[in-house]
PDB file of all heavy atoms in Angstrom:
ATOM      1  N   PHE A 284       3.586   5.961  -2.723  1.00  0.00           N
ATOM      2  CA  PHE A 284       4.872   6.554  -3.076  1.00  0.00           C
ATOM      3  C   PHE A 284       5.034   6.623  -4.593  1.00  0.00           C
ATOM      4  O   PHE A 284       5.458   7.635  -5.137  1.00  0.00           O
ATOM      5  CB  PHE A 284       6.018   5.750  -2.442  1.00  0.00           C
ATOM      6  CG  PHE A 284       7.367   6.296  -2.790  1.00  0.00           C
ATOM      7  CD1 PHE A 284       7.808   7.498  -2.246  1.00  0.00           C
ATOM      8  CD2 PHE A 284       8.195   5.633  -3.684  1.00  0.00           C
ATOM      9  CE1 PHE A 284       9.047   8.021  -2.570  1.00  0.00           C
ATOM     10  CE2 PHE A 284       9.428   6.150  -4.016  1.00  0.00           C
ATOM     11  CZ  PHE A 284       9.859   7.346  -3.454  1.00  0.00           C
ATOM     12  N   LEU A 287       2.793   9.397  -6.003  1.00  0.00           N
ATOM     13  CA  LEU A 287       3.370  10.722  -5.750  1.00  0.00           C
ATOM     14  C   LEU A 287       4.553  10.993  -6.671  1.00  0.00           C
ATOM     15  O   LEU A 287       4.694  12.097  -7.211  1.00  0.00           O
ATOM     16  CB  LEU A 287       3.807  10.848  -4.287  1.00  0.00           C
ATOM     17  CG  LEU A 287       2.678  11.045  -3.276  1.00  0.00           C
ATOM     18  CD1 LEU A 287       3.223  10.974  -1.853  1.00  0.00           C
ATOM     19  CD2 LEU A 287       1.974  12.361  -3.512  1.00  0.00           C
ATOM     20  N   PHE A 290       3.223  11.780 -10.080  1.00  0.00           N
ATOM     21  CA  PHE A 290       2.624  13.113 -10.098  1.00  0.00           C
ATOM     22  C   PHE A 290       3.701  14.189 -10.239  1.00  0.00           C
ATOM     23  O   PHE A 290       3.603  15.081 -11.075  1.00  0.00           O
ATOM     24  CB  PHE A 290       1.799  13.348  -8.825  1.00  0.00           C
ATOM     25  CG  PHE A 290       1.353  14.770  -8.671  1.00  0.00           C
ATOM     26  CD1 PHE A 290       0.294  15.266  -9.421  1.00  0.00           C
ATOM     27  CD2 PHE A 290       1.994  15.623  -7.794  1.00  0.00           C
ATOM     28  CE1 PHE A 290      -0.116  16.583  -9.299  1.00  0.00           C
ATOM     29  CE2 PHE A 290       1.609  16.945  -7.662  1.00  0.00           C
ATOM     30  CZ  PHE A 290       0.543  17.420  -8.418  1.00  0.00           C
ATOM     31  N   LEU A 298       5.847  21.737 -16.441  1.00  0.00           N
ATOM     32  CA  LEU A 298       6.457  23.040 -16.157  1.00  0.00           C
ATOM     33  C   LEU A 298       7.677  23.288 -17.025  1.00  0.00           C
ATOM     34  O   LEU A 298       7.890  24.394 -17.507  1.00  0.00           O
ATOM     35  CB  LEU A 298       6.827  23.135 -14.676  1.00  0.00           C
ATOM     36  CG  LEU A 298       5.656  23.248 -13.711  1.00  0.00           C
ATOM     37  CD1 LEU A 298       6.156  23.207 -12.273  1.00  0.00           C
ATOM     38  CD2 LEU A 298       4.855  24.509 -13.965  1.00  0.00           C
ATOM     39  N   ALA A 299       8.470  22.267 -17.249  1.00  0.00           N
ATOM     40  CA  ALA A 299       9.677  22.425 -18.072  1.00  0.00           C
ATOM     41  C   ALA A 299       9.313  22.717 -19.519  1.00  0.00           C
ATOM     42  O   ALA A 299      10.028  23.430 -20.208  1.00  0.00           O
ATOM     43  CB  ALA A 299      10.543  21.179 -17.975  1.00  0.00           C
ATOM     44  N   ASN A 301       6.972  24.551 -20.587  1.00  0.00           N
ATOM     45  CA  ASN A 301       6.486  25.917 -20.735  1.00  0.00           C
ATOM     46  C   ASN A 301       7.572  26.959 -20.605  1.00  0.00           C
ATOM     47  O   ASN A 301       7.311  28.135 -20.644  1.00  0.00           O
ATOM     48  CB  ASN A 301       5.389  26.189 -19.691  1.00  0.00           C
ATOM     49  CG  ASN A 301       4.123  25.440 -20.023  1.00  0.00           C
ATOM     50  OD1 ASN A 301       3.873  25.125 -21.165  1.00  0.00           O
ATOM     51  ND2 ASN A 301       3.337  25.142 -19.027  1.00  0.00           N
ATOM     52  N   ASP A 317       3.016  55.531 -37.311  1.00  0.00           N
ATOM     53  CA  ASP A 317       2.761  56.271 -38.555  1.00  0.00           C
ATOM     54  C   ASP A 317       2.394  55.352 -39.711  1.00  0.00           C
ATOM     55  O   ASP A 317       1.496  55.661 -40.495  1.00  0.00           O
ATOM     56  CB  ASP A 317       3.988  57.111 -38.933  1.00  0.00           C
ATOM     57  CG  ASP A 317       4.274  58.196 -37.896  1.00  0.00           C
ATOM     58  OD1 ASP A 317       3.325  58.641 -37.217  1.00  0.00           O
ATOM     59  OD2 ASP A 317       5.454  58.567 -37.754  1.00  0.00           O
ATOM     60  N   ILE A 327      19.234  40.420 -31.795  1.00  0.00           N
ATOM     61  CA  ILE A 327      19.946  40.341 -30.525  1.00  0.00           C
ATOM     62  C   ILE A 327      20.621  38.980 -30.499  1.00  0.00           C
ATOM     63  O   ILE A 327      19.950  37.948 -30.579  1.00  0.00           O
ATOM     64  CB  ILE A 327      18.992  40.498 -29.333  1.00  0.00           C
ATOM     65  CG1 ILE A 327      18.317  41.868 -29.372  1.00  0.00           C
ATOM     66  CG2 ILE A 327      19.742  40.274 -28.012  1.00  0.00           C
ATOM     67  CD1 ILE A 327      17.235  42.057 -28.335  1.00  0.00           C
ATOM     68  N   THR A 328      21.948  38.998 -30.413  1.00  0.00           N
ATOM     69  CA  THR A 328      22.691  37.737 -30.438  1.00  0.00           C
ATOM     70  C   THR A 328      23.650  37.581 -29.254  1.00  0.00           C
ATOM     71  O   THR A 328      24.144  36.484 -29.020  1.00  0.00           O
ATOM     72  CB  THR A 328      23.517  37.621 -31.740  1.00  0.00           C
ATOM     73  OG1 THR A 328      24.393  38.753 -31.821  1.00  0.00           O
ATOM     74  CG2 THR A 328      22.614  37.574 -32.961  1.00  0.00           C
ATOM     75  N   SER A 339      13.702  36.902 -17.882  1.00  0.00           N
ATOM     76  CA  SER A 339      12.520  37.746 -17.713  1.00  0.00           C
ATOM     77  C   SER A 339      11.260  37.040 -18.183  1.00  0.00           C
ATOM     78  O   SER A 339      10.216  37.104 -17.528  1.00  0.00           O
ATOM     79  CB  SER A 339      12.692  39.065 -18.467  1.00  0.00           C
ATOM     80  OG  SER A 339      13.781  39.787 -17.945  1.00  0.00           O
ATOM     81  N   LEU A 340      11.339  36.359 -19.321  1.00  0.00           N
ATOM     82  CA  LEU A 340      10.177  35.623 -19.821  1.00  0.00           C
ATOM     83  C   LEU A 340       9.803  34.491 -18.878  1.00  0.00           C
ATOM     84  O   LEU A 340       8.624  34.244 -18.621  1.00  0.00           O
ATOM     85  CB  LEU A 340      10.451  35.076 -21.221  1.00  0.00           C
ATOM     86  CG  LEU A 340      10.687  36.089 -22.341  1.00  0.00           C
ATOM     87  CD1 LEU A 340      10.947  35.364 -23.662  1.00  0.00           C
ATOM     88  CD2 LEU A 340       9.547  37.063 -22.476  1.00  0.00           C
ATOM     89  N   GLN A 349      -6.725  34.408 -22.565  1.00  0.00           N
ATOM     90  CA  GLN A 349      -6.052  35.240 -23.563  1.00  0.00           C
ATOM     91  C   GLN A 349      -6.616  36.653 -23.465  1.00  0.00           C
ATOM     92  O   GLN A 349      -7.805  36.857 -23.679  1.00  0.00           O
ATOM     93  CB  GLN A 349      -6.289  34.673 -24.967  1.00  0.00           C
ATOM     94  CG  GLN A 349      -5.523  35.376 -26.052  1.00  0.00           C
ATOM     95  CD  GLN A 349      -4.039  35.032 -26.019  1.00  0.00           C
ATOM     96  OE1 GLN A 349      -3.662  33.935 -25.662  1.00  0.00           O
ATOM     97  NE2 GLN A 349      -3.219  35.980 -26.378  1.00  0.00           N
ATOM     98  N   MET A 360       8.603  40.249 -31.183  1.00  0.00           N
ATOM     99  CA  MET A 360       9.888  39.595 -30.979  1.00  0.00           C
ATOM    100  C   MET A 360       9.784  38.172 -31.522  1.00  0.00           C
ATOM    101  O   MET A 360       8.891  37.425 -31.135  1.00  0.00           O
ATOM    102  CB  MET A 360      10.210  39.583 -29.479  1.00  0.00           C
ATOM    103  CG  MET A 360      11.488  38.901 -29.123  1.00  0.00           C
ATOM    104  SD  MET A 360      11.961  39.131 -27.381  1.00  0.00           S
ATOM    105  CE  MET A 360      10.681  38.220 -26.535  1.00  0.00           C
ATOM    106  N   PHE A 381       7.767  47.165 -20.145  1.00  0.00           N
ATOM    107  CA  PHE A 381       7.142  45.987 -20.736  1.00  0.00           C
ATOM    108  C   PHE A 381       6.554  45.131 -19.630  1.00  0.00           C
ATOM    109  O   PHE A 381       7.269  44.658 -18.753  1.00  0.00           O
ATOM    110  CB  PHE A 381       8.166  45.191 -21.552  1.00  0.00           C
ATOM    111  CG  PHE A 381       8.653  45.949 -22.747  1.00  0.00           C
ATOM    112  CD1 PHE A 381       9.900  46.538 -22.748  1.00  0.00           C
ATOM    113  CD2 PHE A 381       7.840  46.109 -23.853  1.00  0.00           C
ATOM    114  CE1 PHE A 381      10.341  47.261 -23.841  1.00  0.00           C
ATOM    115  CE2 PHE A 381       8.276  46.838 -24.958  1.00  0.00           C
ATOM    116  CZ  PHE A 381       9.516  47.410 -24.944  1.00  0.00           C
ATOM    117  N   GLY A 387       2.438  33.490 -29.980  1.00  0.00           N
ATOM    118  CA  GLY A 387       1.637  32.891 -31.025  1.00  0.00           C
ATOM    119  C   GLY A 387       1.528  31.376 -30.867  1.00  0.00           C
ATOM    120  O   GLY A 387       0.634  30.756 -31.431  1.00  0.00           O
ATOM    121  N   SER A 400      12.904  42.601 -13.622  1.00  0.00           N
ATOM    122  CA  SER A 400      12.742  42.037 -14.968  1.00  0.00           C
ATOM    123  C   SER A 400      12.254  43.097 -15.950  1.00  0.00           C
ATOM    124  O   SER A 400      12.714  43.155 -17.084  1.00  0.00           O
ATOM    125  CB  SER A 400      11.758  40.866 -14.943  1.00  0.00           C
ATOM    126  OG  SER A 400      12.295  39.780 -14.240  1.00  0.00           O
TER     127      SER A 400
END
Side-chain angles (χ1 to χ4, degrees):
F284 179 71
L287 285 173
F290 170 77
L298 289 175
N301 289 334
D317 296 333
I327 298 173
T328 57
S339 298
L340 296 180
Q349 186 73 33
M360 178 171 67
F381 294 104
S400 292

